[in-house]
Amino acid sequence: MQPAKISLVTDMLNEGTIETKVNCTKFIDVLMGDKNFRSEIVSSMSLLVGILRLVKDRRYPNGVLAGLDLLKKICSHEQVRTLIVSVGAVSQIVEQLVHLNSECLELALRILDDISGIPEGRIALKDCPQTIPNMVRLLMRVSENCTQFSLSILWAVCKLAPDECAPVAVEAGLAPKLLLVIQSGCSPELKQRSAELLKLCSLNYTATIFMSKCKLTRTIQ
């Protein structure tokens, strides 16, 4: 737990072979499970940058998984989230979403959902051009957990800047996806949040135009 020794592990995470990098992430994971662990131990820009490099290197799927798993655990400590945002994690993870398998995707969305819980995180998500289209695409696509995280992130950015974000979400095809959630076997909480987001997104449109955005037939309207 000594800072100097954690620093050495961080150096190996940044400079070692892929096997060394994966082992370093697993080792830090073990340290985080110790009763004497303090969040300051992982409050290091160099450590976070090393983890993000691992996550971005698609040549090594085991490294991507290990990096996301560790970042998810680090992100559970609220006091480190601002630092995670400051190293550019949001845009890097959002851009990776289209390349991830279902296991990694759920981890990545969980991280982004946690980050959306702080003001800096919501702003970073709003400012990333791929956030809204990627979240809309993932609704009802992979698992209920992924739908839940995507919906939570969409709610965070649309609530933050409704005039700016809601029309972008609607143009990306959000409305019919929300109707799918409402009509699905998802949890009541998810359906309720979908209904709230649908209402928020409709405010910038006349009823007729919004119905057309929902891709509903005249009979269903």
Side-chain angles (χ1 to χ4, degrees):
M1 294 293 187
Q2 295 173 16
K5 293 180 179 178
I6 297 295
S7 181
L8 289 174
V9 175
T10 300
D11 289 344
M12 288 189 281
L13 173 61
N14 278 286
E15 306 296 337
T17 64
I18 184 62
E19 185 179 9
T20 298
K21 291 177 180 180
V22 170
N23 286 335
C24 285
T25 63
K26 291 178 178 177
F27 177 60
I28 295 168
D29 194 335
V30 170
L31 293 182
M32 292 185 73
D34 189 275
K35 60 178 172 36
N36 295 316
F37 170 78
R38 305 178 315 281
S39 61
E40 297 81 40
I41 290 169
V42 292
S43 298
S44 157
M45 292 188 79
S46 181
L47 172 63
L48 295 172
V49 166
I51 296 170
L52 284 169
R53 282 183 186 146
L54 196 57
V55 167
K56 287 170 61 180
D57 195 341
R58 300 199 301 273
R59 295 173 300 168
Y60 306 105
N62 61 327
V64 175
L65 178 60
L68 285 169
D69 194 41
L70 180 58
L71 196 58
K72 184 200 77 170
K73 290 182 174 66
I74 292 174
C75 211
S76 68
H77 295 270
E78 290 186 29
Q79 53 270 53
V80 192
R81 289 178 194 169
T82 303
L83 189 59
I84 292 173
V85 173
S86 73
V87 297
V90 168
S91 60
Q92 292 182 55
I93 295 173
V94 168
E95 287 163 12
Q96 284 291 102
L97 293 175
V98 294
H99 305 294
L100 299 177
N101 62 33
S102 57
E103 185 178 13
C104 290
L105 191 57
E106 195 164 314
L107 288 170
L109 289 172
R110 173 65 181 270
I111 291 163
L112 294 173
D113 186 36
D114 283 345
I115 287 173
S116 75
I118 61 171
E120 299 90 341
R122 289 191 287 275
I123 292 169
L125 283 161
K126 178 185 76 70
D127 291 344
C128 177
Q130 294 305 310
T131 295
I132 290 174
N134 279 351
M135 295 308 143
V136 171
R137 184 180 62 84
L138 290 169
L139 287 174
M140 298 297 289
R141 187 86 176 263
V142 182
S143 67
E144 184 165 333
N145 279 342
C146 286
T147 293
Q148 177 186 336
F149 295 138
S150 299
L151 191 58
S152 177
I153 293 162
L154 284 165
W155 174 259
V157 296
C158 288
K159 190 74 173 171
L160 175 67
D163 291 341
E164 178 184 348
C165 295
V168 174
V170 171
E171 293 305 317
L174 177 60
K177 285 290 191 79
L178 292 176
L179 290 172
L180 273 178
V181 177
I182 292 167
Q183 296 165 28
S184 73
C186 288
S187 69
E189 292 79 14
L190 269 183
K191 293 182 179 185
Q192 177 65 30
R193 178 47 54 89
S194 296
E196 291 168 353
L197 186 53
L198 194 65
K199 184 177 180 181
L200 179 67
C201 288
S202 71
L203 297 178
N204 292 302
Y205 298 90
T206 64
T208 304
I209 292 175
F210 191 68
M211 284 294 187
S212 71
K213 296 292 183 185
C214 291
K215 299 190 181 339
L216 295 178
T217 65
R218 183 177 299 276
T219 304
I220 295 174
Q221 285 179 34

